[in-house]
Amino acid sequence: MRSYLILLVFLLLFACDKNTTNRNPYLQEFSFRFDINTSLPLYSNLTNEGSAIYIGNEEAGTRGIFVIKTLASFSGYRAFEASCPNHVPNSCSTMTLDTSRNSVSCSCEAYNYTLFTGQLLNAPEDGTRFYNMLEYRVNVSGGVISVTN
């Protein structure tokens, strides 16, 4: 039994191939934490289901973040990087929020992404490799939404 446990631990530690991750080569993932207090007027829209905002703060992501309330329950939020995942950050890669469709678009190549999943809605048909939006972790405590990477 003891040799079985040792073998199991060995497999868990060394069986994973660290070279198989699907990392986005265009975006660096910086560590950050950004707190959003929904009782402040600037962020009060995030208490409504389907509402999304752009936060262009230098301390949140590479080019800011998009946050959307996805569920009727208070804890249903998603947060994504505001820089287009299919370009190196540049003058046209900061995406624009379309609140009427809960989507964002990149002016570099007119890519459109949904904020409910981060998925690219108009993927290139020529077989070109593409990336969906970079999603950040979200934790909700009381009226504060913490977005971290």
Side-chain angles (χ1 to χ4, degrees), residues 28-34 55-65 80-83 134 136 147-149:
Q28 293 183 353
E29 294 187 42
F30 300 105
S31 293
F32 71 90
R33 176 188 173 118
F34 190 81
I55 299 171
N57 191 300
E58 293 178 1
E59 298 173 11
T62 302
R63 296 278 185 182
I65 57 176
F80 297 95
E81 171 59 46
S83 186
L134 176 61
Y136 295 125
V147 180
T148 60
N149 186 24

Short mmCIF file of all heavy atoms in Angstrom, two decimals, residues 28-34 55-65 80-83 134 136 147-149:
data_model
loop_
_atom_site.label_atom_id
_atom_site.label_comp_id
_atom_site.label_asym_id
_atom_site.label_seq_id
_atom_site.Cartn_x
_atom_site.Cartn_y
_atom_site.Cartn_z
N GLN A 28 1.00 39.52 -21.51
CA GLN A 28 1.68 39.11 -20.29
C GLN A 28 0.66 39.12 -19.17
O GLN A 28 -0.26 39.94 -19.17
CB GLN A 28 2.81 40.06 -19.96
CG GLN A 28 3.94 40.01 -20.95
CD GLN A 28 5.07 40.93 -20.53
OE1 GLN A 28 4.95 41.69 -19.57
NE2 GLN A 28 6.17 40.86 -21.24
N GLU A 29 0.81 38.20 -18.24
CA GLU A 29 -0.12 38.13 -17.13
C GLU A 29 0.55 38.68 -15.88
O GLU A 29 1.34 38.01 -15.24
CB GLU A 29 -0.60 36.71 -16.93
CG GLU A 29 -1.44 36.21 -18.09
CD GLU A 29 -2.05 34.87 -17.84
OE1 GLU A 29 -2.54 34.63 -16.73
OE2 GLU A 29 -2.02 34.05 -18.77
N PHE A 30 0.25 39.94 -15.56
CA PHE A 30 0.79 40.60 -14.39
C PHE A 30 -0.09 40.28 -13.18
O PHE A 30 -1.31 40.20 -13.30
CB PHE A 30 0.83 42.12 -14.59
CG PHE A 30 1.69 42.54 -15.74
CD1 PHE A 30 1.12 42.97 -16.92
CD2 PHE A 30 3.07 42.51 -15.64
CE1 PHE A 30 1.89 43.36 -17.99
CE2 PHE A 30 3.86 42.90 -16.70
CZ PHE A 30 3.28 43.32 -17.88
N SER A 31 0.53 40.16 -12.03
CA SER A 31 -0.24 39.97 -10.80
C SER A 31 -0.82 41.32 -10.38
O SER A 31 -0.13 42.33 -10.40
CB SER A 31 0.64 39.44 -9.69
OG SER A 31 1.06 38.13 -9.99
N PHE A 32 -2.10 41.31 -10.04
CA PHE A 32 -2.74 42.52 -9.54
C PHE A 32 -3.98 42.13 -8.74
O PHE A 32 -4.46 41.01 -8.82
CB PHE A 32 -3.12 43.47 -10.68
CG PHE A 32 -4.28 43.00 -11.52
CD1 PHE A 32 -5.59 43.33 -11.20
CD2 PHE A 32 -4.06 42.21 -12.64
CE1 PHE A 32 -6.65 42.89 -11.97
CE2 PHE A 32 -5.11 41.76 -13.42
CZ PHE A 32 -6.41 42.11 -13.07
N ARG A 33 -4.47 43.08 -8.01
CA ARG A 33 -5.75 42.96 -7.31
C ARG A 33 -6.42 44.32 -7.40
O ARG A 33 -5.82 45.34 -7.09
CB ARG A 33 -5.55 42.58 -5.85
CG ARG A 33 -6.87 42.54 -5.08
CD ARG A 33 -6.65 42.35 -3.59
NE ARG A 33 -7.90 42.49 -2.89
CZ ARG A 33 -8.46 41.52 -2.18
NH1 ARG A 33 -7.87 40.36 -2.07
NH2 ARG A 33 -9.61 41.74 -1.58
N PHE A 34 -7.66 44.31 -7.86
CA PHE A 34 -8.42 45.55 -7.97
C PHE A 34 -9.78 45.33 -7.32
O PHE A 34 -10.51 44.41 -7.68
CB PHE A 34 -8.60 45.96 -9.43
CG PHE A 34 -9.16 47.34 -9.59
CD1 PHE A 34 -8.33 48.45 -9.49
CD2 PHE A 34 -10.51 47.55 -9.80
CE1 PHE A 34 -8.84 49.73 -9.62
CE2 PHE A 34 -11.03 48.82 -9.93
CZ PHE A 34 -10.19 49.91 -9.84
N ILE A 55 -13.06 49.43 -16.77
CA ILE A 55 -12.24 50.09 -15.77
C ILE A 55 -10.86 50.27 -16.39
O ILE A 55 -10.14 49.29 -16.60
CB ILE A 55 -12.16 49.26 -14.47
CG1 ILE A 55 -13.57 49.11 -13.89
CG2 ILE A 55 -11.21 49.91 -13.47
CD1 ILE A 55 -13.67 48.15 -12.73
N GLY A 56 -10.51 51.49 -16.71
CA GLY A 56 -9.25 51.79 -17.37
C GLY A 56 -8.14 52.16 -16.40
O GLY A 56 -7.29 52.97 -16.72
N ASN A 57 -8.15 51.57 -15.24
CA ASN A 57 -7.18 51.87 -14.20
C ASN A 57 -5.85 51.19 -14.53
O ASN A 57 -5.82 50.02 -14.93
CB ASN A 57 -7.71 51.38 -12.86
CG ASN A 57 -6.90 51.88 -11.69
OD1 ASN A 57 -5.71 51.60 -11.60
ND2 ASN A 57 -7.54 52.60 -10.80
N GLU A 58 -4.74 51.89 -14.35
CA GLU A 58 -3.41 51.32 -14.61
C GLU A 58 -3.08 50.14 -13.70
O GLU A 58 -2.19 49.36 -14.00
CB GLU A 58 -2.34 52.40 -14.44
CG GLU A 58 -2.41 53.48 -15.47
CD GLU A 58 -1.35 54.55 -15.24
OE1 GLU A 58 -0.57 54.45 -14.27
OE2 GLU A 58 -1.33 55.51 -16.03
N GLU A 59 -3.79 50.03 -12.59
CA GLU A 59 -3.53 48.95 -11.63
C GLU A 59 -4.38 47.73 -11.89
O GLU A 59 -4.35 46.78 -11.10
CB GLU A 59 -3.75 49.47 -10.21
CG GLU A 59 -2.82 50.59 -9.84
CD GLU A 59 -3.16 51.19 -8.50
OE1 GLU A 59 -3.98 50.64 -7.76
OE2 GLU A 59 -2.58 52.25 -8.18
N ALA A 60 -5.14 47.71 -12.97
CA ALA A 60 -6.02 46.59 -13.28
C ALA A 60 -5.72 46.07 -14.67
O ALA A 60 -6.10 46.68 -15.66
CB ALA A 60 -7.48 47.01 -13.16
N GLY A 61 -5.02 44.96 -14.76
CA GLY A 61 -4.70 44.36 -16.05
C GLY A 61 -3.67 45.14 -16.84
O GLY A 61 -3.00 46.03 -16.33
N THR A 62 -3.57 44.81 -18.12
CA THR A 62 -2.62 45.46 -19.02
C THR A 62 -3.16 46.78 -19.55
O THR A 62 -2.50 47.80 -19.53
CB THR A 62 -2.28 44.52 -20.20
OG1 THR A 62 -1.76 43.30 -19.69
CG2 THR A 62 -1.27 45.14 -21.15
N ARG A 63 -4.40 46.75 -20.06
CA ARG A 63 -5.07 47.93 -20.62
C ARG A 63 -6.39 48.21 -19.89
O ARG A 63 -7.29 48.81 -20.46
CB ARG A 63 -5.38 47.71 -22.10
CG ARG A 63 -4.19 47.55 -22.97
CD ARG A 63 -3.65 48.89 -23.32
NE ARG A 63 -2.56 48.70 -24.27
CZ ARG A 63 -1.85 49.66 -24.75
NH1 ARG A 63 -2.10 50.89 -24.40
NH2 ARG A 63 -0.88 49.42 -25.58
N GLY A 64 -6.49 47.73 -18.66
CA GLY A 64 -7.74 47.85 -17.93
C GLY A 64 -8.50 46.55 -17.97
O GLY A 64 -8.01 45.54 -18.49
N ILE A 65 -9.71 46.57 -17.43
CA ILE A 65 -10.53 45.35 -17.38
C ILE A 65 -11.99 45.68 -17.71
O ILE A 65 -12.43 46.82 -17.56
CB ILE A 65 -10.47 44.66 -15.99
CG1 ILE A 65 -10.91 45.62 -14.88
CG2 ILE A 65 -9.09 44.09 -15.73
CD1 ILE A 65 -10.97 44.99 -13.49
N PHE A 80 -12.54 40.42 -17.51
CA PHE A 80 -11.65 40.11 -18.63
C PHE A 80 -10.68 41.26 -18.88
O PHE A 80 -10.99 42.42 -18.63
CB PHE A 80 -12.48 39.88 -19.91
CG PHE A 80 -13.41 38.72 -19.84
CD1 PHE A 80 -14.73 38.90 -19.50
CD2 PHE A 80 -12.97 37.44 -20.12
CE1 PHE A 80 -15.61 37.84 -19.44
CE2 PHE A 80 -13.83 36.37 -20.07
CZ PHE A 80 -15.16 36.56 -19.72
N GLU A 81 -9.53 40.92 -19.44
CA GLU A 81 -8.54 41.89 -19.87
C GLU A 81 -9.13 42.75 -20.98
O GLU A 81 -9.83 42.25 -21.86
CB GLU A 81 -7.28 41.17 -20.37
CG GLU A 81 -6.25 42.04 -21.04
CD GLU A 81 -5.74 43.15 -20.13
OE1 GLU A 81 -5.43 42.89 -18.96
OE2 GLU A 81 -5.66 44.29 -20.62
N ALA A 82 -8.82 44.06 -20.97
CA ALA A 82 -9.35 44.99 -21.97
C ALA A 82 -8.49 45.07 -23.22
O ALA A 82 -8.92 45.64 -24.22
CB ALA A 82 -9.53 46.38 -21.36
N SER A 83 -7.30 44.50 -23.20
CA SER A 83 -6.45 44.50 -24.39
C SER A 83 -6.83 43.31 -25.26
O SER A 83 -7.00 42.19 -24.76
CB SER A 83 -4.97 44.42 -24.00
OG SER A 83 -4.16 44.56 -25.14
N LEU A 134 -8.72 37.06 -22.20
CA LEU A 134 -8.03 36.62 -20.99
C LEU A 134 -8.93 36.92 -19.80
O LEU A 134 -9.27 38.08 -19.55
CB LEU A 134 -6.69 37.34 -20.85
CG LEU A 134 -5.89 37.06 -19.58
CD1 LEU A 134 -5.52 35.59 -19.48
CD2 LEU A 134 -4.64 37.92 -19.56
N TYR A 136 -9.95 36.97 -15.74
CA TYR A 136 -9.36 37.11 -14.42
C TYR A 136 -10.28 36.50 -13.36
O TYR A 136 -11.48 36.35 -13.59
CB TYR A 136 -9.12 38.59 -14.10
CG TYR A 136 -8.09 39.23 -15.00
CD1 TYR A 136 -8.39 40.37 -15.73
CD2 TYR A 136 -6.81 38.70 -15.12
CE1 TYR A 136 -7.44 40.98 -16.55
CE2 TYR A 136 -5.86 39.29 -15.94
CZ TYR A 136 -6.18 40.43 -16.64
OH TYR A 136 -5.24 41.00 -17.45
N VAL A 147 -11.10 41.65 -8.21
CA VAL A 147 -10.61 41.05 -9.45
C VAL A 147 -9.11 40.86 -9.28
O VAL A 147 -8.39 41.82 -8.94
CB VAL A 147 -10.91 41.96 -10.65
CG1 VAL A 147 -10.39 41.32 -11.94
CG2 VAL A 147 -12.41 42.23 -10.76
N THR A 148 -8.64 39.64 -9.49
CA THR A 148 -7.21 39.33 -9.29
C THR A 148 -6.68 38.48 -10.44
O THR A 148 -7.42 37.83 -11.16
CB THR A 148 -6.98 38.57 -7.98
OG1 THR A 148 -7.71 37.34 -8.01
CG2 THR A 148 -7.39 39.38 -6.77
N ASN A 149 -5.38 38.50 -10.54
CA ASN A 149 -4.69 37.62 -11.47
C ASN A 149 -3.56 36.96 -10.71
O ASN A 149 -2.80 37.55 -10.04
CB ASN A 149 -4.13 38.39 -12.65
CG ASN A 149 -3.55 37.46 -13.68
OD1 ASN A 149 -3.92 36.30 -13.76
ND2 ASN A 149 -2.65 37.96 -14.49
#
